[in-house]
Amino acid sequence: MAEAKHDIRNYVAGEWIGSATGKTIPNLNPANTDEVLGLVPLQDRETARRAIAAAKAALPAWRAVPGPRRGAILFAAHRAIGQRAEELARAMTREEGKTLAEARGEVQKSLNVLEFIAGEGRRLRGETLPSEMPNTLAYTVRDPVGVVSIVTPWNFPVAIPVWKLAPALVCGNTVVFKPATLTPWCGEILTECFLEAGIPAGVLNFITGSGGVVGEELISNPDVRAISFTGSNEIGMHLYEVAARTGKKVQCEMGGKNPVVVLADADLELAADAIVQGAFGSTGQRCTATSRVVVEAAVAEKLAALVVERTRRIVVGDGLRAGVTMGPSVDQGQLETVLQGIAIAKQEGAKVLLGGERLMGEEHRRGFFVAPTVLGGITPTMTVAQEELFGPVLAFLAVKDADEALEVANGVRYGLSSSIFTRDVNRVFGFLEKIETGITHVNSPTVGGEAHLPFGGVKATGIGAREQGSTAIDFYSELKTVYIDYTGQVRQTKIY
Ligand code: NAP
C-alpha cells in the first residue's frame, strides 16, 4: 500500500505556516525517486527575519522560567518523541534513505540525549569560590546566550537537531532551527513533539528553505547571538567568517576522514567486523564513518580479504525492506561525488577490491545506490586518502610499522574519530597520546558515541565547544561572575 504524502509546514512566531513565497521543492525518497514524499516550503529572508524577531521577543519570558521547569518540558518532549518513535524512524528512512534499523537506532540515541540534557535543567552549575576580599561572596551563574540559530545536515536528521535543540532550550535560549532541505520531515515531527511538550510560542521556530537564502539570514542577522552548525567544511568556514562580523558565538562540527589503525598483532576478525560496520553503516554517510584502514603491511592482504568477504554480505536496497543492510546515497549530488571520488582514485592508481560502481538492477535503478566499495593500493597523498567522500568507500593504506601508521593516520586535515586494533598495551597508550582526533576508540569501530560523553573534532573538523555530555551546556550559556560585598559599606579599593 502506498504511504500518504506529507507536505511540510513551518512553525514561525507561534503559527504553522506554508511557503510564504509560494515556492516549494519536492521531498524525494532517495531509494526511489519516483516517490515524492511531499512538498517542502522554500522560505525567503523576510520569513527568516520574522522567525528571529519572534525568538527575540520570546527570550525574556523563557529565560525567566526556572531551569528545572525547562528540564521538565524536555522530559515531556522525550515522552512525545518516544510515542512517535516508529513514525519518526519510518519518515527518516523514507527521506534520508538509511535502513529502518539504523533509523530506529538514531531515534533511540536522540531519546538518550534528551534524557541526559533534560536533567541538566536541575544542574546548570556554577561555582562558589573564596574571594580575596573579606566579607565577600564570589560565585558564577549561567545565563542564556540569547537567540540561537541551529543549522543541521541531512545525515542525522533527528539526533543532531535534538543534541543542539535540547541544550539550547534547557539553558533558556530561544531558537530558530533550519534543517537540511533534504530532510525537513524529521525536523517537522521533532518540532511538533517539542511544542506538544509545552515549549511556548516563539521559543522554538522551525523554518525550511535553501541554505543560501534562509541560512544566510540565520548566520548574519545581528539579533542572532550564537550559531550551532553541523555540515560541510565549505559552509562551516563561510559561516564562521560571516558570524565573526557581528561577533556571534560559533560551534561548527564538520567533515572527517576517520582512520582505523590495525597493527600486526591485532585480532583481525574483530578488526574486520568493526571496519565493515564503520565504513558501510548508514551508507558511509556518518561523520564518524571509517574511510581509511591504515594497516601494517605484514597483515594487510589478510585483513583486506576478511573485509571484502564481510562486505560481500551487505544487502543494498530500500531501507524499509526487511533484510536490507545498506541504503542509498542521499541524493544525486552525493551519488556523483562518490562515483567521481572512485573514478579519481582509479586514475591515481587505486585497485578496486570490491564494488566501485553504481547499482542499476531492478531494485536499484530508480534510487541513488552505489555498491559498497573497497579500494587497495592507496598511498597517503592520493585524493581518496585525503578528501571526505561521505559514501560507502573504504581505502586501504599499507604501512611498515606502528610509527608510520600514526603518521599516516594524522596526515589529513580532519580530526574527528579514530580507532586502533592491537593487543599491545604500550602501543595503545602511545597512540592515544598522539592521535589527533576529538574521539578515539580501542578495539572498536570509529562510529558511535554515548549521549552523556562529549562529542566533537579537532583540526579542520571542529570549531568551538564540544557537543553532548555535560559540556553541551557550555556553548549555550554565558558565565556571569558575581561578587557580593555583604558588609554594606565602602572598603579599600581593589587594585586589580
Ligand atoms: P552542508 O551542505 O554544509 O549543509 C549543512 C546545513 O547548512 C544545511 O542545513 C544547509 O542547507 C545549510 N547551508 C548551506 N549553505 C548555507 C549558507 N550559505 N548559510 C547557512 N547555512 C547553509 O552539509 P550536508 O551536505 O548537509 O552534510 C554533510 C556534511 O556534514 C559532511 O561533510 C559531514 O562530515 C558533516 N557532518 C559532520 C558531523 C560532525 O559532527 N562533525 C556530523 C554530521 C555531518 P541546505 O540543506 O538548504 O543546503
Side-chain angles (χ1 to χ4, degrees), residues 27 50 81 134 448:
N27 191 13
R50 277 213 306 122
I81 293 172

Side-chain angles (χ1 to χ4, degrees), residues 370-417:
V370 179
T373 297
V374 183
L375 302 174
I378 308 300
T379 56
T381 55
M382 285 185 186
T383 312
V384 75
Q386 291 292 326
E387 296 304 325
E388 181 187 52
L389 286 183
F390 224 49
V393 181
L394 181 65
F396 263 79
L397 295 99
V399 292
K400 66 174 187 304
D401 57 21
D403 289 341
E404 192 185 346
L406 186 64
E407 195 183 314
V408 169
N410 281 338
V412 293
R413 67 187 175 123
Y414 300 109
L416 183 55
S417 184

Side-chain angles (χ1 to χ4, degrees), residues 78-96:
H78 179 277
R79 287 191 291 279
I81 293 172
Q83 277 159 11
R84 295 179 69 179
E86 191 58 16
E87 176 194 350
L88 199 45
R90 289 185 77 82
M92 197 185 326
T93 295
R94 291 177 71 209
E95 73 176 0
E96 198 273 351

Side-chain angles (χ1 to χ4, degrees), residues 120 124-125 142-143 145 167 171 249 251 464-479:
E120 287 296 316
L124 292 177
R125 286 190 189 93
R142 285 182 189 271
D143 279 348
V145 183
C171 287
K249 248 179 137 172
Q251 176 178 59
R466 288 282 180 276
E467 303 201 75
Q468 301 183 57
S470 55
T471 50
I473 60 169
D474 292 340
F475 179 72
Y476 296 101
S477 59
E478 295 284 10
L479 281 181

Side-chain angles (χ1 to χ4, degrees), residues 316-339:
V316 183
D318 183 336
L320 284 184
R321 185 167 75 72
V324 164
T325 53
M326 193 183 101
S329 290
V330 75
D331 71 349
Q332 181 75 31
Q334 198 54 50
L335 174 80
E336 280 165 14
T337 304
V338 171
L339 293 175

Side-chain angles (χ1 to χ4, degrees), residues 118-397:
E120 287 296 316
R122 288 194 177 271
R123 290 184 286 266
L124 292 177
R125 286 190 189 93
E127 288 180 296
T128 308
L129 293 161
S131 168
E132 292 172 4
M133 307 292 291
N135 304 322
T136 297
L137 175 62
Y139 64 94
T140 60
V141 283
R142 285 182 189 271
D143 279 348
V145 183
V147 176
V148 179
S149 289
I150 288 181
V151 180
T152 56
W154 45 263
N155 69 325
F156 282 99
V158 172
I160 292 177
V162 166
W163 82 50
K164 293 177 188 296
L165 289 169
L169 293 169
V170 89
C171 287
N173 301 285
T174 55
V175 169
V176 182
F177 160 39
K178 188 200 112 49
T181 303
L182 291 171
T183 52
W185 195 2
C186 290
E188 190 194 64
I189 297 174
L190 277 183
T191 303
E192 286 169 356
C193 291
F194 278 102
L195 296 178
E196 188 191 321
I199 295 287
V203 171
L204 168 60
N205 299 272
F206 167 69
I207 181 165
T208 56
S210 112
V213 179
V214 169
E216 281 296 324
E217 187 63 34
L218 297 192
I219 65 175
S220 59
N221 189 301
D223 286 335
V224 169
R225 295 313 311 142
I227 306 166
S228 183
F229 166 86
T230 299
S232 63
N233 279 72
E234 186 195 347
I235 305 297
M237 294 314 289
H238 162 71
L239 171 161
Y240 194 28
E241 232 180 283
V242 171
R245 289 181 209 143
T246 44
K248 300 185 201 319
K249 248 179 137 172
V250 171
Q251 176 178 59
C252 290
E253 284 300 337
M254 301 174 282
K257 194 71 204 170
N258 312 299
V260 169
V261 167
V262 183
L263 301 185
D265 71 327
D267 177 338
L268 296 185
E269 302 267 344
L270 181 73
D273 285 340
I275 289 165
V276 173
Q277 187 191 335
F280 304 114
S282 303
T283 321
Q285 299 178 132
R286 300 173 84 139
C287 47
T288 53
T290 305
S291 54
R292 296 181 293 150
V293 177
V294 183
V295 51
E296 276 193 284
V299 293
E301 224 171 280
K302 186 162 177 211
L303 181 67
L306 291 172
V307 166
V308 166
E309 177 201 317
R310 283 160 175 73
T311 308
R312 276 189 209 287
R313 291 186 219 140
I314 292 174
V315 180
V316 183
D318 183 336
L320 284 184
R321 185 167 75 72
V324 164
T325 53
M326 193 183 101
S329 290
V330 75
D331 71 349
Q332 181 75 31
Q334 198 54 50
L335 174 80
E336 280 165 14
T337 304
V338 171
L339 293 175
Q340 198 186 16
I342 295 170
I344 293 172
K346 286 203 277 195
Q347 276 161 24
E348 292 180 359
K351 192 168 158 223
V352 178
L353 304 179
L354 191 71
E357 76 278 313
R358 181 174 184 179
L359 297 174
M360 290 299 277
E362 181 50 35
E363 182 176 356
H364 301 125
R365 65 169 174 266
R366 283 180 297 278
F368 304 120
F369 293 98
V370 179
T373 297
V374 183
L375 302 174
I378 308 300
T379 56
T381 55
M382 285 185 186
T383 312
V384 75
Q386 291 292 326
E387 296 304 325
E388 181 187 52
L389 286 183
F390 224 49
V393 181
L394 181 65
F396 263 79
L397 295 99

